[in-house]
Amino acid sequence: MAWTKYQLFLAGLMLTTGSINTLSAKWADMFSAKGCKDSPEHAFAHPFVQAVGMFLGELSCLAVFHMLLCHDRRRPEPKMNMGQSFNPLLFLSPALCDMTATSIMYVALNMTSASSFQMLRGAVIIFTGLLSVAFLGRRLVASQWTGILITILGLIVVGLADFMSGHKDDSHKLSEVITGDLLIIMAQVIAAVQMVLEEKFVYKHDVHPLRAVGTEGFFGFFILSLLLIPFFYIPVGSFSNNPRHVLEDALDAFCQISHNPMIILALLGNTVSIAFFNFAGISVTKEISATTRMVLDSLRTVVIWVVSLALGWEQFHGLQVLGFIVLLVGAALYNGLHRPVLARILCCASVEEEEVNPVERTRLLDEGRVQEEG
């Protein structure tokens, strides 16, 4: 069945905005500018400020939800399903997980390449699968266990590629690359906990997806914004690249933005893209399928990798390509993408058998080996 123009638009929107989201975050990390009180020019290393911007984008999904709801109510026959009433605090635990995982990933993005960042996020299916067995009582089929094992192999290959390229990379030290990769994988454990919590406590309430994303964004935005105050006073030494070497220096971030307005363009790209990406992702699942959403998310990694190479942000490494292919196979097996392919092969085989059987039957009748019934 051919896709409609609207479905093509949604697929393109998801692929484009998803790629812009990671690329704009990495672009912001590559800027340098003076800080407050005319401090020397230094890199823009403010992962928690970037995370606040991302949650602002998620929060905007709540505004989109209410706009769509108002538009729907003006129709003679409203069709939009608002879902059940729910306690917003249900989203607090998932939002805290999202906030923690996102912050860790933005810290890691300062230390590694955009393509490796995106590929290593595929580790989430390992921990989601294991936690769903432990806490949701789910039974994984053989193909899902195989997908998990293949994903682990893919992560090893990508990690090895980063280890080898770390010796040639002038922008990141080898120790930073390894630390960044480990932080990304650690963040996927927290992201998996978020998914399990959402499935166990949230999904049964039939909450509209845009409302769910927006509510989590609300908690994430306001809690992390408040946490920027104590972060301003927590010393972390060389782990932080800001001049005061504290966990996060939001004032320094705003001073750098004032000295180099291009930084705000990168931050806005991150904020706006995450809002459209969430909307497009939810719509693709609804209008096409969850499998298509997984495929588009994998294609997003290709786009990020190709753009990063084209812009000279990283160097080509064959092992990284191999790692991506292995990760793609693992994700496809875990998400059951192989089933439609196998079903089509079996269907074609049965059609061929039906086409051959009448001929064979006629031959047998002519030879007098079979007798017609009736």
Side-chain angles (χ1 to χ4, degrees):
M1 182 178 165
W3 284 6
T4 63
K5 289 182 179 180
Y6 180 60
Q7 289 173 332
L8 286 170
F9 166 74
L10 289 174
L13 182 67
M14 180 183 169
L15 184 61
T16 304
T17 55
S19 303
I20 290 172
N21 182 246
T22 299
L23 290 168
S24 59
K26 187 62 182 177
W27 187 32
D29 293 340
M30 300 179 76
F31 280 109
S32 294
K34 291 182 179 180
C36 298
K37 298 179 181 178
D38 290 328
S39 62
E41 186 173 301
H42 53 278
F44 184 83
H46 298 284
F48 295 98
V49 171
Q50 285 182 281
V52 168
M54 193 215 73
F55 282 115
L56 179 61
E58 287 191 358
L59 176 58
S60 67
C61 289
L62 204 56
V64 173
F65 167 76
H66 287 291
M67 287 169 61
L68 291 173
L69 188 62
C70 290
H71 177 72
D72 186 66
R73 283 176 175 172
R74 292 176 183 174
R75 294 178 176 177
E77 295 181 6
K79 297 179 181 179
M80 190 170 171
N81 178 23
M82 284 187 60
Q84 301 172 345
S85 59
F86 65 98
N87 184 352
L89 290 176
L90 278 173
F91 288 91
L92 181 58
S93 297
L96 290 173
C97 290
D98 191 13
M99 181 185 74
T100 307
T102 301
S103 300
I104 291 172
M105 283 192 284
Y106 278 130
V107 170
L109 188 58
N110 269 297
M111 302 178 176
T112 190
S113 64
S115 60
S116 293
F117 168 83
Q118 194 63 39
M119 289 180 194
L120 291 171
R121 290 178 72 175
V124 72
I125 68 171
I126 299 170
F127 307 111
T128 304
L130 296 176
L131 290 174
S132 64
V133 170
F135 296 102
L136 300 178
R138 183 172 297 150
R139 295 182 64 182
L140 301 183
V141 297
S143 61
Q144 289 178 306
W145 285 114
T146 305
I148 287 174
L149 292 174
I150 291 174
T151 300
I152 293 172
L153 178 62
L155 293 174
I156 293 170
V157 175
V158 172
L160 185 61
D162 280 350
F163 179 79
M164 294 177 69
S165 63
H167 296 285
K168 305 173 185 177
D169 190 358
D170 297 329
S171 58
H172 300 293
K173 297 177 183 176
L174 179 59
S175 58
E176 285 185 349
V177 172
I178 295 172
T179 303
D181 288 356
L182 291 174
L183 284 174
I184 294 167
I185 293 173
M186 185 174 75
Q188 302 321 300
V189 179
I190 302 169
V193 173
Q194 176 194 346
M195 292 179 183
V196 170
L197 287 172
E198 287 175 342
E199 186 165 346
K200 191 171 180 65
F201 299 111
V202 177
Y203 290 164
K204 63 183 179 181
H205 290 276
D206 188 29
V207 182
H208 191 281
L210 279 175
R211 196 177 185 185
V213 172
T215 305
E216 284 189 14
F218 171 83
F219 284 118
F221 176 75
F222 285 103
I223 292 173
L224 192 55
S225 295
L226 290 173
L227 285 174
L228 289 179
I229 298 171
F231 287 177
F232 185 79
Y233 299 100
I234 300 174
V236 291
S238 59
F239 184 76
S240 174
N241 291 327
N242 59 63
R244 296 177 57 245
H245 298 292
V246 291
L247 192 56
E248 180 59 282
D249 191 341
L251 290 180
D252 181 66
F254 290 121
C255 289
Q256 283 190 291
I257 290 169
S258 66
H259 284 110
N260 188 350
M262 287 295 288
I263 298 174
I264 195 67
L265 185 62
L267 296 178
L268 280 174
N270 188 33
T271 301
V272 175
S273 64
I274 195 66
F276 280 101
F277 177 68
N278 280 316
F279 169 75
I282 290 164
S283 301
V284 164
T285 303
K286 181 181 176 183
E287 297 288 335
I288 310 173
S289 69
T291 303
T292 303
R293 184 175 182 178
M294 191 277 291
V295 172
L296 290 171
D297 208 37
S298 300
L299 287 175
R300 177 164 69 120
T301 305
V302 178
V303 173
I304 291 167
W305 180 62
V306 170
V307 172
S308 297
L309 287 174
L311 294 175
W313 290 359
E314 54 186 274
Q315 296 178 347
F316 177 83
H317 204 291
L319 263 183
Q320 202 173 40
V321 180
L322 177 62
F324 170 69
I325 293 171
V326 175
L327 285 171
L328 189 60
V329 171
L333 284 171
Y334 184 84
N335 289 285
L337 194 62
H338 63 291
R339 289 175 194 148
V341 178
L342 289 176
R344 182 168 293 183
I345 292 171
L346 291 172
C347 182
C348 291
S350 64
V351 168
E352 288 176 5
E353 187 180 346
E354 287 176 5
E355 289 175 352
V356 170
N357 279 345
V359 177
E360 181 67 16
R361 182 175 178 82
T362 303
R363 186 182 67 81
L364 292 172
L365 281 169
D366 290 341
E367 292 178 3
R369 296 178 184 177
V370 214
Q371 292 183 355
E372 280 285 3
E373 292 181 6

